[in-house]
Amino acid sequence: MQIIDGKKVSAEVKAQVAKETELLKSKGIVPGLAVVIVGDDPASRVYVNNKKKACELVGFKSEEYALPAQTTQQELLDLVETLNDKKDINGILVQLPLPEHLDEKQIIEAINSIKDVDAFNAVNVGKIMIGDYDFLPCTPAGVMEMLSYYNIPVSGKNCVVIGRSNIVGKPMAMLLLHQNGTVTICHSKTRNLNEICAGADILVAAVGIPKFVKADMVKEGAVVIDVGMDRDENGKLCGDVDFDDVKEKTSYITPVPGGVGPMTIATLMKNTLKACKLQNNC
Ligand code: GUN
């Protein structure tokens, strides 16, 4: 069993982004990311802080817009419009989830596709579907980068994704398919979930339920990727995989924290750099 070190892979990706940023700066171009957070969800606050830190590390300009929980739809739309027009901002990220009274879909669609570094809006999702994309979805692309770094082949493998969210499950399945994996998406209505998972060469858990994946759901020698960011019964950060129960059966496994999380941020940095280059024709 080998633990996949997301921190290490992410540091290498960010170092590469920093190198390219240096080059852009010598031409007078500085990539800029705007991060918008509405309300005071503690998990979102941690994610946003980590994104800002990563921007500093790679040499981007970052702007944070922290809005109160009672912000109206129109106020948020106005902010997105302002950021769409801002020349020194290349990427716009609205941290999800938004407070319930806000229409998330409308906000995402209001972001100019060329600044949509999360790759959440319909144009970018459509491009991912046909395999002709500018921006890769951050978490799934981070997972693919880790697989590639550890020379884990995907082609012809049975890949099972648990979870069908727009942020992770659906685009994850699509990227595995692009690499010629045979992909099954499981969800809350799936029958024989345990058996399907136990047939996976590569198992990706993105359900949001702490320690959901147990040893009997894992094939001997499987690669297990844990996208979960959950809290266990003691309030301690854990993933969707019961790491201690599962680890000995796997060939590779990602820990939580230190697995997928840092890779999501590394991809965000790559996307922002790409957005900057596209917007400056370089
Ligand atoms: N909330 C959880 N993951 C993400 C992400 O990748 N991007 C944004 N904007 N919000 C999130």
Side-chain angles (χ1 to χ4, degrees):
M1 183 270 294
Q2 191 174 348
I3 293 179
I4 296 179
D5 188 346
K7 266 194 183 162
K8 177 174 152 205
V9 185
S10 134
E12 291 193 18
V13 172
K14 284 186 288 191
Q16 184 59 37
V17 172
K19 216 162 110 186
E20 289 192 46
T21 302
E22 198 64 31
L23 211 66
L24 280 180
K25 281 180 164 173
S26 69
K27 299 179 196 163
I29 300 167
V30 183
L33 176 68
V35 179
V36 181
I37 177 170
V38 185
D40 43 22
D41 178 63
S44 289
R45 173 39 67 195
V46 173
Y47 298 147
V48 165
N49 288 349
N50 288 340
K51 288 167 186 177
K52 270 169 43 190
K53 262 190 240 160
C55 282
E56 270 170 42
L57 185 83
V58 300
F60 293 173
K61 168 191 158 74
S62 79
E63 288 182 356
E64 181 186 306
Y65 295 85
L67 306 181
Q70 64 274 19
T71 299
T72 66
Q73 183 77 7
Q74 194 55 51
E75 284 167 338
L76 188 52
L77 282 172
D78 289 347
L79 173 61
V80 169
E81 270 316 312
T82 304
L83 295 172
N84 279 339
D85 292 338
K86 229 168 167 264
K87 291 279 177 290
D88 58 343
I89 288 299
N90 306 111
I92 304 169
L93 180 146
V94 178
Q95 187 65 32
L96 304 180
L98 290 170
E100 285 225 336
H101 68 280
L102 295 173
D103 177 354
E104 215 161 81
K105 195 161 166 273
Q106 191 191 29
I107 301 294
I108 289 169
E109 291 311 320
I111 299 171
N112 188 334
S113 306
I114 205 158
K115 295 192 176 185
D116 173 34
V117 285
D118 264 323
F120 284 170
N121 76 25
V123 168
N124 287 320
V125 173
K127 285 182 165 194
I128 291 159
M129 192 87 179
I130 58 174
D132 172 25
Y133 34 76
D134 297 319
F135 305 127
L136 288 160
C138 294
T139 299
V143 171
M144 298 311 288
E145 183 107 33
M146 287 196 294
L147 294 176
S148 156
Y149 186 93
Y150 284 86
N151 294 312
I152 297 167
V154 176
S155 184
K157 300 292 180 186
N158 286 331
C159 306
V160 174
V161 179
I162 322 174
R164 54 174 156 178
S165 70
N166 288 331
I167 295 183
V168 182
K170 285 190 228 172
M172 185 73 249
M174 202 49 60
L175 297 197
L176 289 163
L177 180 63
H178 288 161
Q179 296 284 319
N180 302 312
T182 301
V183 185
T184 306
I185 305 176
C186 297
H187 46 79
S188 55
K189 301 287 187 292
T190 298
R191 293 179 198 161
N192 310 323
L193 177 80
N194 288 20
E195 284 139 76
I196 296 169
C197 291
D201 301 307
I202 298 174
L203 180 63
V204 181
V207 264
I209 302 172
K211 301 184 185 179
F212 180 78
V213 175
K214 304 285 184 196
D216 64 342
M217 297 164 74
V218 174
K219 182 162 103 174
E220 202 66 51
V223 175
V224 175
I225 306 289
D226 190 347
V227 181
M229 285 284 233
D230 313 311
R231 298 272 162 190
D232 70 9
E233 60 281 5
N234 304 313
K236 191 168 165 260
L237 184 64
C238 72
D240 291 349
V241 176
D242 191 334
F243 187 87
D244 290 330
D245 194 43
V246 162
K247 65 181 181 203
E248 293 310 332
K249 281 185 99 174
T250 67
S251 56
Y252 291 91
I253 185 166
T254 64
V256 176
V260 174
M263 292 306 299
T264 299
I265 295 180
T267 312
L268 176 67
M269 298 300 108
K270 273 172 96 169
N271 284 350
T272 305
L273 179 71
K274 178 97 181 271
C276 177
K277 286 180 170 174
L278 288 171
Q279 286 158 46
N280 287 282
N281 302 312
C282 60

